[in-house]
Each structure stands twice: as structure tokens, then as C-alpha cells.
Amino acid sequence: MVRTPESAGNQPMPLTFLPFLGSAIVLTDSMPTGLRWFAEYQPFTPVIETLRGLLMRTGIRNSGYIALAWCVGLTLGGHVWARSAFGRTAVP
């Protein structure tokens, strides 16, 4: 998908900032409206909320299911993208 090894190494760089735009550091209730909307609907927030709830022994409500759905969805999306990019089929 990229032309040089350097650009392949830099391609996932924007993803490293997503946890900072989620609820990892600041709860979403105290964020401005636009940032709050983005933070509530990105994949890292349910994972962070689930881990926070489990570690602090508070309720996780449905964030565990949402985190699991994001993980499965991203994994399947990455799998489909990789198979289409490399043009190979799985070996049984």
C-alpha cells in the first residue's frame, strides 16, 4: 500500500494519538461538544472505559460489549483488507 519502508513505518502514526482524544486522560463529560462526540464514538473509549471499570471494580455497563465489537470489527476489517491487498487465499 506504500512505496517506501519509511512511509510504512509512519503510516500508523495518527492512530497513536487516538487514545489522547478519548477518555484515557479526561472523562468525556468535561470535553467540548465536538471533541466529546468524537471521543465517545471512537474505538479506544469503550476499551478504556472497560479497563477502568474492571480495574477500579466499578460497573462497566455495556462498554465491554462495545469494546469487544470494536475489536472484532477492526480485526475482521484488517483481515479483509490484507487479503485483498495481497491477493492470496487462506490455506486450509
Side-chain angles (χ1 to χ4, degrees):
M1 302 306 295
V2 294
R3 293 189 173 121
T4 63
E6 291 82 14
S7 60
N10 290 331
Q11 190 173 12
M13 186 66 68
L15 296 176
T16 60
F17 296 110
L18 278 179
F20 296 110
L21 297 175
S23 65
I25 299 173
V26 178
L27 295 176
T28 57
D29 297 337
S30 64
M31 295 180 180
T33 306
L35 184 58
R36 181 184 318 139
W37 180 86
F38 179 79
E40 287 177 352
Y41 295 106
Q42 61 132 329
F44 285 104
T45 296
V47 173
I48 292 166
E49 293 298 323
T50 302
L51 288 174
R52 183 180 287 136
L54 292 173
L55 291 173
M56 296 180 71
R57 297 182 185 184
T58 59
I60 60 171
R61 300 185 311 265
N62 63 348
S63 65
Y65 295 117
I66 296 170
L68 184 62
W70 268 112
C71 291
V72 169
L74 291 173
T75 301
L76 289 176
H79 175 72
V80 169
W81 182 35
R83 285 188 60 175
S84 68
F86 293 109
R88 298 180 187 158
T89 58
V91 178

